Amino acid sequence: MSASPHATSARRALRTAPLCTALMLALCGSVHATQADAPSTRPPSTIDPANWPVPGWPLREDAALERRVEALLATMTVEEKVGQIVQADITTITPDDLRKYRLGSILAGGNSDPDNQYNAPPQAWLDLADAFWAASMDTSGGGKAIPVIFGIDAVHGQSNIVGATLFPHNVGLGATRNPALMRRIGEITAIETRVTGMEWAFAPTVAVPRDDRWGRAYEGYSESPDVVASYAGAMVEGLQGKPGARDFLGERRVMVSVKHYLGDGGTRDGKDQGDTPGDEATLRDVHAAGYFTSIRAGAQAVMASFNSIDGQKMHGRRDLMTDVLKDRMGFGGFIVGDWNGHGQVEGCTNTNCAKTFNAGLDMAMAPDSWRGLYDSTVAQAKSGEIPMSRIDDAVRRILRVKFRMGLFEAPKPSQRTLGGRFELLGAPSHRAVARQAVRESLVLLKNNGGLLPLSPKQRILVAGDGADDVGKQSGGWTLNWQGTGTTRADYPNADSIWEGFKQQIDAAGGRAELAVDGQYREKPDAAIVVFGENPYAEFQGDLPNLLYKPGDDRDLDLLRKLKADGIPVVAVFLSGRPLWMNREINAADAFVAAWLPGSEGAGIADVLLRDARGKIQHDFKGKLSFSWPRRADQYENNVGQANYDPLFAFGHGLNYKGDGTLATLPEDSGIAAAPSQPNRFFVKGKAAEGFRLRLAGATGDTYDVMHTRGATPDGGLSIAAVDRLAQEDARQLRWSGTAASTVALMATPAQDLQRQTDGDVWVIADLRIDALPAGGRIEWLAACGDSCGASVDVTSQFATLPRGEWLRVGMILKCLRSAGANDMRNVTVPFGLRAAPGLGITLSGIGLGTDPTHRLECPATAAGAP
């Protein structure tokens, strides 16, 4: 899955305005919308089911189970049947709603938590599970007692829950080459998920990422379909149990949804939710590899993917969902959608999509659209637009899973075998397995002079912004969708990387010092610098190339500074994918790819340090499951491709037995000029490439900002460069005169923000409020062409914000769409402010993100995708 809704109870004044008439004509008139990502015009790919294998469904028909399914189905009304095939998010449905609508499933999306509290205690989750279960079994108002299934994104462990064991993300697990370890990780994840009341994990991800720019690449085990296939079945068996075993789908197990079917890792340019070429052999032999072994392992659900194949969205492809997956491959579970993915099918909306059910989807994930989708689907079932045979087939598949799991006989979640056993969250034995996974995932790329392993008896400096940050080492999908904004207190059962080193160095009699910025008190014998990508998930993680933090050389400077001081330097790189790191590799004596290790940062010290007696504790075992790029423009860099020429090949990984010497690498990235950072429109007081800042006075006359000082022709709005953190890295705006004026950030060409709007993404302005109008309005603006735009009155909200302080103020994109900017594929003005005289603000940055410190409220906002 992906994101989840940002729910708010407040209702603020919201006004829709045709911004490019009168008021905004000067701002929008010269910007023409273009389809940034128009659907493919290629003919749809031809799929012949006969070309696909028959993996073998492992569950024989159970006559007794079938009789129970048919008996229940025969008593169900159309409304009850439709309820079973709709899934709602916990932020938009209540137990009372469930009593009325009898939905078959609920989910908690990436940002969906009890009471909207990302760090809600485990008991709150269990209480919520009990409440929804009780509602589903309550027949006092009529209806059948059919237990609801509660699904959640257990992406790397039960990663939504405070205190749970956090395993390395799949990119790291792929480097272990240890399918048996995957099975054990699945078992532990199932146990910790059941503790908090859920029966369904939206896992495993069996994508085969082919372009490392994709923001979800770290959710894939490998670029190799063979590695993915070897892991998929093992993880399914770990989560569900083995078909035929007594504990299969038992109370210590959860059902899975193998995802995302099909081709999510193969989109052009690595674009999330993009278009995948429809070559049938590649779809079958590469992207479907994990589904064959998952089906043989008895996977109970498969999740449809957001991507299209040759322009046709997977949620609407009967040939692949019904003809191939169900009929040819014999899949006997049910297909669930992704977050409003049905709404992206041509001719559909989030609340109306007969086409997706007719194509073979069995349960629509309609997190915030469930009520409208329920109503339209009931009408379509009654009219015959969706044949009753198709409705019945979907309901049968869902009921079979519920009967197989014993949910009809099970008590409420808190009274089940593992319900409420919170001591199992982050249990020592579970953490030991995660620590093993960390050790085995580490890949050594350089070890000049045999620097590693280090003696713990030395003076060792641990530096870098990843050294003592459990959130950063855990990455996205950790307590919330993007994995941002967490604190150390949110991880009671975890060790940061620094804590792991300190424990062992102290115990051996050495001296450990933490200095994130590298400013040591006493010159160390060696330095370990931990740095890397900040947490992200889809949308935020997509990259234009494989440069590491273009324009930000602080990590490189730190490595070089310590090296210049004569200190041997070990680089520990945290990332969700291989990136072009030649400069950083050159600046270090040893370089370790640590991926996103999760809660057990101490596993890194286990490998990098000797024991107190000077012996090697654990050697490196990790082998690259993704090829490492030679240049930053080497996007598709997969083993077996023509002209394959990586810096470090698939399967590469040094150990302590061999020579770790690496010659100096070339430092030409292959990128002529570093582009602006993705999702950043206005950086350090300047418009990014493809954007410009425009001021419009009360008369409509405009001024395009090209200098450090300027003003509208009528003098009603002025701008000047000021200092924030560096010289002239911000712009101060002052509204004066007698009428309102406008500042707008213009996009040329127009920006396609449709995906981000469907996700939990915000327009965020880094600003300081210097003064407020005495009595006039302040409006937040957006535009999408000459007659498409939105204006949201934020006057009262700005009045409550602190003055004179730097803030990250955000407006969720969904709010702007609901306010009238309804063509988010063609956004010409992603940010604007119109204000009465008297407003004074200073701007330093504008962009997209998920972590504003101050969220402007809006009616009926929601977002997301698993």
Side-chain angles (χ1 to χ4, degrees):
M1 201 182 75
S2 289
S4 74
H6 165 69
T8 173
S9 59
R11 291 293 182 265
R12 296 288 181 181
L14 179 142
R15 179 172 61 85
T16 301
L19 294 184
C20 293
T21 61
L23 167 63
M24 292 283 285
L25 182 60
L27 294 180
C28 305
S30 63
V31 179
H32 298 287
T34 59
Q35 282 288 344
D37 187 30
S40 170
T41 57
R42 293 179 302 280
S45 54
T46 300
I47 302 296
D48 182 355
N51 293 333
W52 292 67
V54 181
W57 181 245
L59 302 179
R60 296 180 180 177
E61 182 172 324
D62 183 333
L65 183 149
E66 292 301 316
R67 286 193 294 272
R68 295 185 71 184
V69 169
E70 293 303 323
L72 178 55
L73 186 66
T75 68
M76 294 173 69
T77 66
V78 172
E79 289 78 6
E80 288 170 336
K81 292 177 180 179
V82 169
Q84 287 298 302
I85 66 175
V86 175
Q87 183 184 54
D89 188 83
I90 60 171
T91 59
T92 66
I93 189 171
T94 66
D96 283 341
D97 290 331
L98 194 71
R99 283 185 179 87
K100 177 179 178 181
Y101 289 92
R102 320 303 292 185
L103 300 192
S105 179
I106 57 169
L107 79 145
N111 285 349
S112 304
D113 310 280
D115 300 320
N116 291 315
Q117 182 182 353
Y118 81 89
N119 55 358
Q123 185 65 54
W125 286 97
L126 187 59
D127 291 344
L128 192 68
D130 276 352
F132 279 108
W133 176 88
S136 71
M137 302 302 284
D138 184 356
T139 60
S140 61
K144 311 297 184 301
I146 302 176
V148 68
I149 318 175
F150 193 163
I152 196 164
D153 284 288
V155 173
H156 58 129
Q158 172 53 314
S159 51
N160 300 270
I161 307 298
V162 170
T165 307
L166 302 175
F167 295 95
H169 271 291
N170 287 355
V171 64
L173 296 180
T176 71
R177 301 296 203 279
N178 190 342
L181 181 60
M182 300 308 107
R183 185 175 286 104
R184 182 68 182 126
I185 289 171
E187 292 170 354
I188 293 169
T189 300
I191 287 169
E192 297 197 13
T193 301
R194 281 287 201 160
V195 164
T196 48
M198 300 85 175
E199 306 95 352
W200 186 2
F202 297 143
T205 298
V206 298
V208 184
R210 307 296 278 177
D211 188 322
D212 295 337
R213 292 175 293 178
W214 186 35
R216 304 190 79 160
Y218 67 85
E219 295 185 51
Y221 295 116
S222 178
E223 70 190 37
S224 163
D226 293 338
V227 172
V228 174
S230 72
Y231 277 23
M235 182 60 81
V236 169
E237 288 183 355
L239 290 162
Q240 293 190 161
K242 200 164 187 175
R246 293 182 62 183
D247 68 341
F248 179 63
L249 296 176
E251 289 201 5
R252 301 177 68 88
R253 306 287 185 171
V254 294
M255 66 170 286
V256 304
S257 56
V258 187
K259 64 184 187 182
H260 307 84
Y261 183 82
L262 179 69
D264 51 343
T267 60
R268 290 176 174 84
D269 301 322
K271 186 173 182 179
D272 189 58
Q273 301 186 20
D275 188 49
T276 298
D279 172 65
E280 184 176 26
T282 301
L283 292 174
R284 179 193 63 219
D285 300 339
V286 174
H287 297 296
Y291 294 94
F292 306 141
T293 53
S294 295
I295 289 172
R296 283 198 293 269
Q300 295 297 291
V302 165
M303 183 179 289
S305 185
F306 277 120
N307 64 278
S308 56
I309 294 177
D310 283 349
Q312 290 189 333
K313 284 291 184 179
M314 270 303 308
H315 279 68
R317 292 206 60 145
R318 177 182 172 86
D319 55 350
L320 286 165
M321 287 198 293
T322 297
D323 299 344
V324 169
L325 182 60
K326 292 179 177 178
D327 294 346
R328 174 64 176 178
M329 292 165 60
F331 172 60
F334 66 85
I335 302 175
V336 63
D338 207 336
W339 190 282
N340 281 329
H342 57 276
Q344 297 185 20
V345 175
E346 185 178 2
C348 290
T349 67
N350 289 353
T351 57
N352 190 324
C353 194
K355 186 180 292 186
T356 194
F357 293 113
N358 286 335
L361 194 78
D362 299 305
M363 180 183 287
M365 186 181 289
D368 55 347
S369 57
W370 60 270
R371 199 184 309 258
L373 186 67
Y374 171 91
D375 289 340
S376 66
T377 307
V378 167
Q380 290 155 356
K382 290 182 176 180
S383 72
E385 184 177 356
I386 305 175
M388 189 54 63
S389 59
R390 173 75 270 271
I391 296 286
D392 286 348
D393 174 61
V395 176
R396 282 190 185 95
R397 289 172 176 270
I398 294 165
L399 293 180
R400 284 188 192 111
V401 172
K402 293 184 177 185
F403 279 119
R404 285 177 189 138
M405 294 187 74
L407 295 182
F408 283 86
E409 294 76 37
K412 63 182 180 180
S414 62
Q415 293 179 352
R416 297 173 189 170
T417 300
L418 298 179
R421 291 189 57 186
F422 301 131
E423 72 277 6
L424 294 174
L425 296 174
S429 62
H430 295 179
R431 294 184 61 190
V433 174
R435 188 162 172 168
Q436 174 192 350
V438 173
R439 291 194 298 264
E440 295 187 16
S441 71
L442 302 177
V443 179
L444 180 63
L445 298 179
K446 179 180 181 179
N447 192 21
N448 282 11
L451 176 60
L452 293 174
L454 298 172
S455 168
K457 296 181 179 295
Q458 301 181 92
R459 293 189 302 273
I460 296 178
L461 171 71
V462 182
D465 66 359
D468 196 27
D469 188 336
V470 179
K472 181 161 182 162
Q473 73 191 41
S474 298
W477 290 106
T478 304
L479 298 185
N480 59 58
W481 176 33
Q482 296 286 330
T484 56
T486 61
T487 69
R488 183 63 183 89
D490 296 327
Y491 303 99
N493 299 322
D495 285 318
S496 72
I497 295 169
W498 151 251
E499 289 164 350
F501 279 110
K502 179 173 172 55
Q503 290 161 10
Q504 295 192 32
I505 294 168
D506 287 352
R511 298 175 65 179
E513 179 183 352
L514 174 67
V516 170
D517 61 2
Q519 298 297 319
Y520 49 82
R521 295 187 300 272
E522 182 179 8
K523 186 175 179 179
D525 298 312
I528 300 167
V529 181
V530 187
F531 66 101
E533 291 188 290
N534 293 322
Y536 59 83
E538 68 262 50
F539 304 132
Q540 297 301 297
D542 286 2
L543 293 176
N545 54 56
L546 298 181
L547 290 172
Y548 170 64
K549 292 185 177 178
D552 182 353
D553 288 339
R554 286 175 292 179
D555 296 326
L556 178 62
D557 292 344
L558 175 57
L559 292 168
R560 287 174 171 171
K561 173 189 176 299
L562 293 169
K563 185 69 174 165
D565 288 349
I567 302 168
V569 176
V570 179
V572 176
F573 181 50
L574 304 175
S575 74
R577 55 194 151 199
L579 294 171
W580 184 76
M581 302 297 295
N582 287 24
R583 298 183 304 165
E584 290 80 4
I585 293 172
N586 285 340
D589 297 286
F591 193 96
V592 177
W595 315 112
L596 299 169
S599 60
E600 304 315 307
I604 295 176
D606 291 344
V607 181
L608 271 60
L609 295 179
R610 296 180 182 271
D611 66 17
R613 297 170 298 170
K615 295 184 178 296
I616 294 173
Q617 299 187 83
H618 297 274
D619 201 348
F620 283 90
K621 292 185 176 181
K623 304 296 181 183
L624 290 178
S625 62
F626 289 86
S627 303
W628 201 280
R630 185 177 297 278
R631 302 180 313 277
D633 61 352
Q634 211 171 9
Y635 310 133
E636 297 187 12
N637 184 36
N638 304 300
V639 63
Q641 287 183 334
N643 303 314
Y644 178 64
D645 184 32
L647 177 62
F648 301 117
F650 172 84
H652 176 77
L654 303 171
N655 57 37
Y656 291 141
K657 299 179 181 66
D659 181 7
T661 302
L662 181 68
T664 301
L665 300 172
E667 296 193 358
D668 178 6
S669 70
I671 303 294
S676 59
Q677 297 180 40
N679 301 316
R680 300 297 294 166
F681 307 150
F682 188 75
V683 182
K684 297 181 180 179
K686 296 180 181 179
E689 182 180 354
F691 296 87
R692 66 182 184 274
L693 201 64
R694 177 175 289 182
L695 312 183
T699 62
D701 294 329
T702 65
Y703 169 73
D704 282 357
V705 178
M706 293 180 288
H707 306 291
T708 56
R709 290 183 176 274
T712 56
D714 64 4
L717 178 56
S718 63
I719 188 169
V722 296
D723 300 344
R724 180 188 178 189
L725 300 175
Q727 185 176 6
E728 296 185 348
D729 64 344
R731 294 293 182 267
Q732 191 171 62
L733 294 143
R734 295 189 180 279
W735 279 256
S736 57
T738 59
S741 299
T742 302
V743 58
L745 188 66
M746 317 295 295
T748 308
Q751 294 286 300
D752 178 3
L753 302 183
Q754 182 66 42
R755 296 178 306 139
Q756 292 87 336
T757 305
D758 288 334
D760 201 359
V761 177
W762 303 67
V763 178
I764 301 175
D766 295 304
L767 59 80
R768 183 185 69 204
I769 299 175
D770 302 317
L772 291 172
R777 292 164 61 97
I778 305 171
E779 298 163 83
W780 189 293
L781 310 175
C784 42
D786 292 349
S787 59
C788 173
S791 168
V792 180
D793 185 350
V794 294
T795 309
S796 61
Q797 297 190 72
F798 265 52
T800 66
L801 296 175
R803 295 195 207 180
E805 300 178 15
W806 282 100
L807 314 170
R808 285 175 55 78
V809 180
M811 173 71 69
I812 199 165
L813 287 168
K814 264 197 168 72
C815 178
L816 298 171
R817 181 168 64 184
S818 65
N822 48 31
D823 186 3
M824 298 303 285
R825 287 188 178 275
N826 298 284
V827 176
T828 51
V829 178
F831 169 84
L833 286 177
R834 170 177 160 84
L839 178 65
I841 66 166
T842 304
L843 277 172
S844 69
I846 302 167
L848 301 181
T850 60
D851 59 344
T853 58
H854 294 75
R855 300 184 172 200
L856 300 178
E857 297 175 341
C858 180
T861 59

